[in-house]
Structures are given as structure tokens and as C-alpha cells.
Amino acid sequence: MAGAGQGLFISLEGIDGAGKSTQSRLLAAHLRALGRDVVETREPGGAVGAEDIRKLLVEGDPDRWSPETEILLFSAARRDHMERTITPALDRGAVVICDRFADSTRVYQGAARGDLRGLVDDIHARVIGVEPDLTLILDMDPSLALARGLARKSGEDRFEDMGLPFQEKLRAGFLDLARAFPERCVIIDAMQPPEDIARNIARVVEARL
Ligand code: TYD
């Protein structure tokens, strides 16, 4: 995969219900008001084929796929998303705001089966090979986030349905990742009012523009 181009690649990460999609929207509006070309996108999905793969992943029984199969499906969706949406946008100098990226695979599929992290990293290196310039990790108490996530009843609740202990593992996984990649990861306290979170995020992003 080609390099990350001239734009700025931002990913938002966090457990289910942490408020990523709201913050993604607010950040995009803020950057557009500053005159930036902004592409808002999400994973799994963000391109026509990748959205088809998304349906296979987020709907249905929690044990519908083995962790290995999941890693392959997420990676296939990500490759399509990179080719068709992210790389072209970065090449023309846009800011890409991506709701979840490879860190979600490291943490979610790694949390389900810790010994698969090597497989995730190998596949990433071979077929994706790009990291965001900046990763915002929205951190919050899983019981609060889970209540919000399930309240949405979107029909895409396969991962939320894995329960509170799973979400607690995920939170710890994201915090570990922030420690492992301190140059690109910033932890955002997501238990404040949305407008305060948005202000924090805007400050962090503007420093990188
Ligand atoms: P998302 O649409 O971000 O859900 P939410 O808005 O509830 O956070 O992501 C769908 C689900 O897919 C979510 O539970 C996280 C999971 N996921 C993985 O397990 N691995 C991945 O690589 C990605 C991108 C998502």
C-alpha cells in the first residue's frame, strides 16, 4: 500500500458507546469551518465493498466467526477502504477522520484471543502498512458506555452483546496501546460533556495541522 500521502490521517478509537461518532462529526465540522478539506469515514466500512463486509461482521450471533476469520474479514474491509477512500483523500491533501482503524483489530480481536496479536500485526504489515498520524483514544467507564451503546439498539450490536467484562478488557487494551505508541496516540477523557470533549479534541488536532 502506498504511503499516507500529504493529508492528515486521524483515527478515533475507544470501546463501544464511547461517543466516537458524535466526536467525529463535531471535529469534521470544526475543521471544515477552518477551511479544510475533510473526509469522514468509518470502519468496518467506508467504501462500497467494505460496507458489504461490515454487515457480515457487526450483525448476528457473537460467536458467528472465529477470531481468525474475523481478523481476515476486518483486514479485507480495511484494504478496500484504504484503496478506495483513505489513500486517495490523503493524496489530495485532505484531513481523513476515521471512526476506528487497525487499533480496533489489535484490541478487539486481541482481547478475544491475546495470542492472535502477532497474526493481526503480520497481516497489517503485509496488506495495510499505514498508521494514522494521530489516534484519539476516547476513554470511558465501560458500564456507562455499554448502557449508551445498547440504548441505541442499532441492530449492529454483535460486539456490545459480548458483555461488560469484554468491554473492560477492551478499555485496558486501548490504554496499553496508547502507552505502546505515545507519539501518535492521545487519550481523551470521554466522560465529560460532549462539547468539552470536542474542545479538547480540537486543541489536540490543531496542534498537528
Ligand atoms: P462501530 O461501528 O465503530 O461500532 P460502535 O459505534 O458501536 O463503536 O464498530 C462496529 C464494531 O466492530 C464495534 O463493536 C467494534 C468492532 N470492531 C472490531 O472488533 N475490530 C475492528 O477491527 C473494527 C474496525 C471494529
Side-chain angles (χ1 to χ4, degrees):
M1 176 86 25
Q6 301 304 304
L8 186 71
F9 182 14
I10 302 171
S11 63
L12 275 84
E13 297 281 1
I15 61 175
D16 297 284
K20 290 178 289 79
S21 36
T22 303
Q23 292 302 326
S24 165
R25 205 165 54 241
L26 293 172
L27 177 61
H30 178 73
L31 294 175
R32 286 190 184 114
L34 295 178
R36 295 277 164 167
D37 175 6
V38 178
V39 172
E40 268 180 275
T41 188
R42 67 161 181 186
E43 290 209 349
V48 175
E51 289 288 336
D52 286 342
I53 298 171
R54 176 188 178 91
K55 293 194 188 78
L56 299 173
L57 282 160
V58 299
E59 295 173 7
D61 230 49
D63 55 9
R64 180 176 187 186
W65 307 111
S66 74
E68 289 86 346
T69 309
E70 254 177 39
I71 290 166
L72 293 168
L73 288 170
F74 278 115
S75 301
R78 182 162 305 128
R79 174 75 198 201
D80 188 53
H81 187 206
M82 286 296 304
E83 287 175 4
R84 292 171 198 262
T85 305
I86 297 178
T87 303
L90 293 174
D91 284 347
R92 66 165 202 266
V95 178
V96 172
I97 303 173
C98 192
D99 185 338
R100 297 196 185 281
F101 192 65
D103 293 326
S104 279
T105 317
R106 295 183 175 113
V107 170
Y108 275 75
Q109 280 62 50
R113 282 267 308 276
D115 58 329
L116 291 178
R117 175 61 191 276
L119 178 64
V120 172
D121 287 338
D122 285 354
I123 294 172
H124 182 82
R126 295 183 72 90
V127 301
I128 309 294
V130 171
E131 300 295 346
D133 299 303
L134 174 64
T135 297
L136 302 163
I137 295 179
L138 273 61
D139 180 56
M140 85 156 18
D141 183 322
S143 46
L144 184 56
L146 193 66
R148 281 192 193 172
L150 287 176
R152 285 207 301 266
K153 285 264 188 289
S154 62
E156 293 192 336
D157 303 324
R158 187 169 157 257
F159 288 91
E160 282 94 331
D161 287 350
M162 293 182 185
L164 190 58
F166 183 68
Q167 297 292 329
E168 275 160 357
K169 267 195 184 173
L170 297 175
R171 183 190 200 185
F174 280 119
L175 294 176
D176 284 348
L177 217 62
R179 278 187 284 273
F181 300 103
E183 62 300 329
R184 72 171 167 88
C185 293
V186 177
I187 297 169
I188 303 288
D189 176 1
M191 287 179 282
Q192 313 164 58
E195 54 279 14
D196 294 349
I197 301 170
R199 211 172 302 118
N200 264 340
I201 288 178
R203 195 169 30 79
V204 170
V205 171
E206 279 171 37
R208 309 255 176 158
L209 283 175

